[in-house]
Amino acid sequence: MTTSTNAIQPSRRLRRARSRIKVTTSARLGFGLLFTYVIIAIFAPIIAPYGEAQIVGAQFQPWSSAHWFGTDNLGRDIFSRLIFGARNTISVVLAATLLSFFVGTILGLIAATRGGITDKVLATIVNIFMSIPLLIFALLLLALFGTSILSLISIVALLESTRVFRVVRSVSMNVMVSDYVEAARLRGEGTGWIMIREILPNIRAALFAELGVRFCFILLLISGLSFLGLGIQPPTADWGSMVKDYSALIAYGDITPLLPAAAIAILSVSVNLVVDWILKS
């Protein structure tokens, strides 16, 4: 009887684990879309029929079998530029997101664990940065330091890290009052040990949620900066600048400007679907 009961227990635990990590239809859709974006971004030079800045025809040629979405104002293939835009946009947004997340998380944890004057100084600096409208501040800094890819990533990451800092600091302070954190302090554990072993494992859900939200906000911010001419610079293909370049075609009933806008929107939705599933798992 004992042997059969022991044999049943693992199978029950396995079924419970499977039910907890069940992938929903929306999550499958999100993963599928993200996987498609990643494949396109990685293999853009192979997938695209033409080069990123290659002039292949006359200006504003209509959709055809040779040019699926026509050509732009310089005679470049729009379909190819959309594909290269996936690689350029996603790589810049991902780099800025990870950098902002790293900086904001580290500073938020330090502020929560150290407290006192350290917390006050960091919180004051962050409040000063957040008091200035994000887009205006980004435009100002880009005008001062230039519009290179490195400057764009650094400036966007710096500004967005303030948002990450606020979230991490808030949830970390809630964990800091827990008994197990106090016990770790009484054992003589250092600040680094408490941050890594006690706080981080207990704020993972908030961090995942913030990572997804921050990616979407940075995607929209960088696309907006490119639309205004201070983001990713030509001739590098970028969805935000493509919306601006093709916007005049709307007056002629051409839906081409909606293609890069749709690419931005679908990517944002797919990230949110995956993050939502992670939080519910």
Side-chain angles (χ1 to χ4, degrees), residues 10 70 93 98 100-101 145 147 165 175 187-188 202 219 250 260 271-272:
V93 171
L98 294 178
S100 68
F101 202 75
F145 296 102
T147 55
F165 171 87
V175 176
R187 291 198 308 268
N202 291 284
L219 171 63
I250 290 289
V271 171
N272 278 285

Side-chain angles (χ1 to χ4, degrees), residues 70-221:
T71 59
D72 64 6
N73 58 327
L74 295 178
R76 298 170 296 189
D77 183 66
I78 292 178
F79 175 68
S80 299
R81 287 185 64 78
L82 279 172
I83 293 175
F84 279 102
R87 182 178 66 172
N88 299 328
T89 302
I90 293 174
S91 59
V92 171
V93 171
L94 184 60
T97 302
L98 294 178
L99 181 57
S100 68
F101 202 75
F102 176 77
V103 174
T105 300
I106 294 298
L107 294 180
L109 288 172
I110 291 174
T113 52
R114 291 283 187 178
I117 188 65
T118 302
D119 180 33
K120 291 180 180 179
V121 170
L122 290 175
T124 301
I125 294 173
V126 167
N127 289 336
I128 292 173
F129 273 77
M130 294 187 68
S131 65
I132 305 174
L134 180 62
L135 182 58
I136 295 176
F137 203 2
L139 290 172
L140 174 63
L141 292 176
L142 286 169
L144 290 174
F145 296 102
T147 55
S148 66
I149 295 296
L150 181 59
S151 296
L152 178 63
I153 293 174
S154 302
I155 290 170
V156 171
L158 172 65
L159 298 180
E160 289 289 345
S161 65
T162 58
R163 277 71 181 170
V164 180
F165 171 87
R166 293 286 291 270
V167 173
V168 174
R169 175 177 175 269
S170 177
V171 295
S172 297
M173 283 186 168
N174 292 333
V175 176
M176 285 295 296
V177 299
S178 302
D179 293 337
Y180 51 84
V181 174
E182 186 62 27
R185 281 182 165 175
L186 293 175
R187 291 198 308 268
E189 304 293 353
T191 302
W193 195 96
I194 292 175
M195 287 193 298
I196 297 173
R197 299 295 297 274
E198 301 292 349
I199 298 178
L200 274 179
N202 291 284
I203 63 172
R204 283 180 298 182
L207 293 182
F208 275 122
E210 181 63 19
L211 179 62
V213 171
R214 203 49 44 203
F215 180 90
C216 295
F217 273 102
I218 291 177
L219 171 63
L220 297 177
L221 175 60

